[in-house]
């Protein structure tokens, strides 16, 4: 398997991205929402196994001081092959020079991000409109 990374969303197969999100339980992501969040992102990284999307990630940034990485997602059949790590490395390379890179992780993936150099914040807060997400992620 030869995985390549792209930072372009021009020819992305949005239905495949939706399929990956849904396979991991993120059912509220329809093709229009996925397209909108990726088009609105400052940087993106999409991993391809030939023409098949294996995973992806995105980040928002002011281009100077702050950035936030979201939605690092790898298809379950491609997990534990280093693809997620390559996506993170690619995003961080695109954010080179940004003073602070925040990351929002799903519960249970903290060790993966720790290996990539991320640490828990002393001061971090959030607000969720979805009550089940608020119960899962907020103290």
């Amino acid at each position: 398997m030869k995985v390549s990374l792209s930072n372009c969303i021009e020819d992305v197969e949005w239905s495949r991205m939706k399929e990956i999100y849904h396979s991991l339980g993120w059912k509220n992501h329809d093709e229009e929402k996925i397209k909108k969040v990726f088009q609105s992102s400052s940087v993106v990284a999409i991993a391809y196994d030939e023409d098949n999307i294996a995973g992806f990630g995105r980040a928002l940034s002011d281009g100077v001081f702050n950035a936030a990485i979201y939605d690092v997602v790898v298809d379950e059949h491609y997990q534990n092959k280093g693809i997620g790590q390559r996506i993170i490395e690619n995003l961080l390379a695109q954010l080179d020079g940004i003073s602070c890179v925040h990351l929002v992780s799903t519960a249970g993936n903290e060790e993966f991000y720790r290996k990539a150099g991320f640490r828990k914040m002393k001061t971090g807060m959030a607000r969720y409109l979805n009550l089940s997400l608020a119960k899962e992620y907020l103290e």
Side-chain angles (χ1 to χ4, degrees):
M1 171 178 59
K2 184 180 178 194
V3 174
S4 62
L5 287 168
S6 172
N7 304 126
C8 176
I9 60 170
E10 192 172 310
D11 295 320
V12 166
E13 186 182 341
W14 301 109
S15 60
R16 172 66 179 139
M17 292 179 75
K18 180 181 94 170
E19 181 182 293
I20 295 170
Y21 274 120
H22 285 206
S23 74
L24 300 174
W26 298 13
K27 304 291 185 187
N28 290 334
H29 291 61
D30 62 38
E31 288 179 40
E32 274 309 304
K33 287 179 184 172
I34 296 166
K35 186 175 182 179
K36 184 174 183 177
V37 298
F38 273 82
Q39 287 175 332
S40 299
S41 296
S42 307
V43 297
V44 302
I46 302 174
Y48 287 92
D49 178 13
E50 295 184 20
D51 291 333
N52 188 43
I53 297 174
F56 44 83
R58 64 187 187 89
L60 303 175
S61 177
D62 60 21
V64 180
F65 296 115
N66 293 290
I69 294 177
Y70 298 96
D71 296 359
V72 176
V73 181
V74 176
D75 179 283
E76 59 189 348
H77 298 101
Y78 289 95
Q79 290 181 5
N80 300 310
K81 298 180 186 314
I83 295 170
Q85 186 68 36
R86 288 186 57 199
I87 291 169
I88 289 288
E89 289 170 1
N90 183 283
L91 292 170
L92 290 173
Q94 292 181 75
L95 297 168
D96 187 44
I98 302 298
S99 173
C100 178
V101 179
H102 297 91
L103 178 122
V104 176
S105 169
T106 51
N109 291 321
E110 295 86 357
E111 189 56 34
F112 170 79
Y113 293 109
R114 219 181 256 83
K115 288 178 184 175
F118 289 89
R119 300 290 177 260
K120 283 194 172 199
M121 292 177 60
K122 292 179 182 178
T123 58
M125 301 179 99
R127 179 188 79 147
Y128 286 89
L129 296 177
N130 181 312
L131 291 178
S132 65
L133 291 175
K135 286 179 183 176
E136 183 176 352
Y137 292 109
L138 301 178
E139 293 180 351

